[in-house]
């Protein structure tokens, strides 16, 4: 999985105010499971996350529309890193959506990240080549 980095402008002191959402400093980009794309499965996964000392210490699945989508969500969340003084509980929702068929050439999914609250992945399934 690719890694991403966020600028920690808002957390210069490393302290998280009660009204401020902690900033994800590093983590893996979530992927849309290929098996779910092939099976035309879309849906949402909501997870509860415990952050201790800036690392994700626990992730709980609160709701999943389909188990095929859960693994990718858990893998991404477990990779998140926050400021080392971050200790909090939060929730995050991952939305997996299928767009219009892409044709016969694969395309990368479109990924919108508003971490740690939300991730939206849109994948375009392939159109099967007709057999003659």
């Amino acid at each position: 999985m690719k890694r991403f980095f966020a600028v920690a402008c808002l957390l210069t002191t490393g302290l998280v105010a009660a009204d401020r959402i902690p900033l994800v400093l590093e983590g893996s980009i979530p992927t849309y499971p290929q098996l779910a794309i092939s099976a035309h499965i879309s849906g949402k996964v909501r997870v509860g996350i415990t952050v201790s000392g800036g690392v994700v210490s626990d992730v709980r699945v609160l709701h999943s529309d389909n188990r095929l989508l859960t693994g990718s969500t858990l893998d991404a969340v477990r990779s998140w890193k926050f400021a080392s003084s971050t200790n909090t509980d939060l929730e995050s929702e991952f939305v997996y959506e299928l767009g219009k068929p892409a044709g016969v050439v694969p395309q990368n999914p479109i990924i919108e990240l508003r971490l740690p609250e939300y991730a939206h992945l849109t994948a375009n399934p392939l159109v099967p080549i007709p057999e003659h």
Side-chain angles (χ1 to χ4, degrees), residues 17 28 83:
S28 297

Side-chain angles (χ1 to χ4, degrees), residues 15-131:
L15 300 175
V16 178
D19 61 341
R20 191 173 290 176
I21 298 167
L23 183 65
V24 177
L25 301 176
E26 181 182 331
S28 297
I29 295 174
T31 59
Y32 203 125
Q34 190 58 49
L35 185 57
I37 294 171
S38 298
H40 298 276
I41 294 172
S42 57
K44 296 178 182 178
V45 179
R46 185 151 195 79
V47 291
I49 304 162
T50 300
V51 180
S52 302
V55 297
V56 175
S57 59
D58 186 45
V59 184
R60 300 159 308 286
V61 177
L62 304 175
H63 171 81
S64 179
D65 288 339
N66 191 293
R67 291 185 324 190
L68 286 176
L69 305 173
T70 305
S72 178
T73 300
L74 295 176
D75 290 345
V77 171
R78 286 181 181 128
S79 74
W80 292 354
K81 304 285 187 269
F82 299 82
S84 62
S85 60
T86 304
N87 297 297
T88 189
D89 290 301
L90 52 106
E91 291 184 7
S92 184
E93 181 175 70
F94 284 62
V95 178
Y96 297 86
E97 179 180 17
L98 291 173
K100 295 180 181 179
V104 295
V105 179
Q107 297 177 352
N108 287 324
I110 298 168
I111 302 172
E112 175 190 355
L113 300 174
R114 287 185 276 153
L115 300 180
E117 303 166 293
Y118 179 78
H120 189 144
L121 295 84
T122 303
N124 299 321
L126 295 178
V127 175
I129 300 173
E131 295 183 26

